Amino acid sequence: MAAGLGLGFLAVLVIVLWISSPYPDSGPGGALHLAAGLWLLAHGTDLVRYETLSGVPAPVGMTPLLLVALPVLLMRRAARLGSACGDGSDGDEVLPASAVFSAVTCGYLAVGSLATVYAAGGPMPADPLSAAWHVPLVAVLAAAGGVWVAKGRPLGPLPEWVPKGVRRAVARPRYALALRSGAAGALVLLGGGVLLVGASLAWHGAEVQGTFLALTGVWSGRFAVLLLALALIPNAMVWGAAYALGPGFALGAGATVTPLGFEGSAALPLPRFPLLSALPPQGPGSPVTWAVGVIPVAAGLAVGWFAVRRAREVSYGETALTAGLGSMVCGLLTAGLAGAASGPLGSRELARFGPVWWQAGGAAAAWTLAVAVPLAVAVHAWRNRPAAGTGDEWHAPGTRELRWETLRRAAGAPLVPDRAPVAAPAPVPPVRPQPQPQPNPVPVPEPDPEPEPDPVPTPIPDPVPATPVAPPVLPVSGARVLSRRRPPL
């Protein structure tokens, strides 16, 4: 179902563009073959373009990352709905996660194999070896995510077949903090890449507009170019992040764009495309391009801030280790994104297009490690500083917490024991009080009696007729109420 929806969406889009084109190159069969090739390209599969000026087949391996969201979301939704079908609410049998995962994945791979065979007869067939591992990889990851969400996102312990040492190590809180801080650093890098791309497009607005209008003169062609540019925006984000990190990105075999300069593009035949028109000018760098170093510094600050635990018993070495692990996670995420956002766009000069994954990942790890570790240690020291002030320092919150922590460590046991069921104490017989001797009373002289006052006549009130009081009505349950009959006249 998910594979059919993805193929159908791309087929409808390609057919609409083919119908609106004033000069279609092939019939509807060629458009459907191209749609199948684009669906495989959305999974990361390399396509092969045979119609070139030199006659040499040219690979097309750069995947628009926004296009990847289509199969991933559909596959994830199919796995989630399949897991929620038999939830046991109406007496239905609960489907195990393994069964749902296997069924959804096998069906998706069957459609993917048929699409690979069908796309082989089109203008841009898919590379069979590339499709053999890209399509299963995307299907497995998306299906696993959908089943995990349907089962309530469980984060329990690892299975028993995992070594005990590994399970204990993963259960430590430092790894969860490292993942969170590394993800925060990667998001900051991507946000900086978005700012760079937007600022460059605005700075080179005239060149971008001229390139967009010069590519084609019909509205259907311009609409297709606009869709392709939007699909490549996530790729441009990753390229901007790699540019800010320092290694930059390649625009062919001998051209590299870095903040220090843009060299080797004089003889490079770059394709005319709006996003490529926003590149910095050729030549050495300037203070404006050097200022992009603020982005990796901000990423390192994010990693260091999120790597600090609020518990006071954490040592400085543990905090520094957590920040270092977060930097490694940020580097791995950046390397994966750089590898997915790059690829060849042709042969010879265009064989290398985009950032190099290991250079971008290494630069991200180095930048964040240099900034995150000192910041994390400084934040840890600031949060655990003793309370300062001129007032009552004995009852200050920081001093009180340190005092209780010292007492707990000296006692070797928690000061507040756990609440455990305590056996009831044995009954103690009551103790009767012993009678004590009373002292002899001392005679007290009686006071003289006071003279009685003269009696005052009390007025007698007038007799009031007694009001008949009705007897109380008791509640009766289960009695029938009869209508009152009138007496005969």
Side-chain angles (χ1 to χ4, degrees), residues 53-325:
L53 297 177
S54 61
V56 180
V60 178
M62 191 175 65
T63 304
L65 293 183
L66 189 61
L67 198 61
V68 180
L70 177 64
V72 170
L73 293 179
L74 291 176
M75 187 66 175
R76 183 175 176 271
R77 179 178 176 82
R80 183 171 58 85
L81 294 179
S83 301
C85 289
D87 54 356
S89 57
D90 298 333
D92 299 337
E93 181 182 359
V94 179
L95 298 176
S98 58
V100 176
F101 174 79
S102 301
V104 174
T105 306
C106 291
Y108 196 89
L109 294 180
V111 178
S113 60
L114 294 178
T116 305
V117 174
Y118 183 76
M124 296 180 65
D127 186 5
L129 295 179
S130 180
W133 71 274
H134 278 99
V135 177
L137 178 63
V138 174
V140 167
L141 294 179
V147 173
W148 180 66
V149 170
K151 296 302 179 181
R153 297 181 176 90
L155 295 175
L158 295 177
E160 295 295 335
W161 53 268
V162 179
K164 189 175 182 180
V166 176
R167 283 181 289 163
R168 287 183 177 180
V170 174
R172 295 178 181 177
R174 75 161 72 109
Y175 295 101
L177 289 175
L179 290 175
R180 184 181 66 175
S181 59
L187 289 177
V188 172
L189 287 177
L190 292 179
V194 171
L195 293 179
L196 287 181
V197 172
S200 183
L201 288 174
W203 187 271
H204 302 85
E207 294 85 349
V208 172
Q209 183 179 4
T211 304
F212 180 77
L213 297 178
L215 281 176
T216 177
V218 296
W219 69 269
S220 59
R222 293 177 179 177
F223 182 69
V225 172
L226 179 61
L227 289 180
L228 182 58
L230 292 178
L232 289 172
I233 288 295
N235 300 64
M237 294 167 48
V238 181
W239 289 24
Y243 178 81
L245 288 170
F249 49 89
L251 291 177
T256 304
V257 184
T258 63
L260 300 179
F262 182 10
E263 301 293 341
S265 64
L268 183 63
L270 288 177
R272 297 177 60 85
F273 194 70
L275 294 180
L276 296 179
S277 299
L279 293 174
Q282 183 183 359
S286 62
V288 177
T289 60
W290 301 340
V292 298
V294 178
I295 296 175
V297 172
L301 295 178
V303 173
W305 178 265
F306 284 98
V308 181
R309 294 176 58 187
R310 295 186 177 275
R312 290 184 174 270
E313 61 271 11
V314 179
S315 62
Y316 290 97
E318 179 71 16
T319 302
L321 179 60
T322 304
L325 292 176

Side-chain angles (χ1 to χ4, degrees), residues 326-353:
S327 301
M328 297 298 105
V329 172
C330 181
L332 291 176
L333 292 177
T334 306
L337 291 174
S342 59
L345 282 182
S347 57
R348 292 183 298 186
E349 289 84 2
L350 297 181
R352 293 178 52 194
F353 216 77

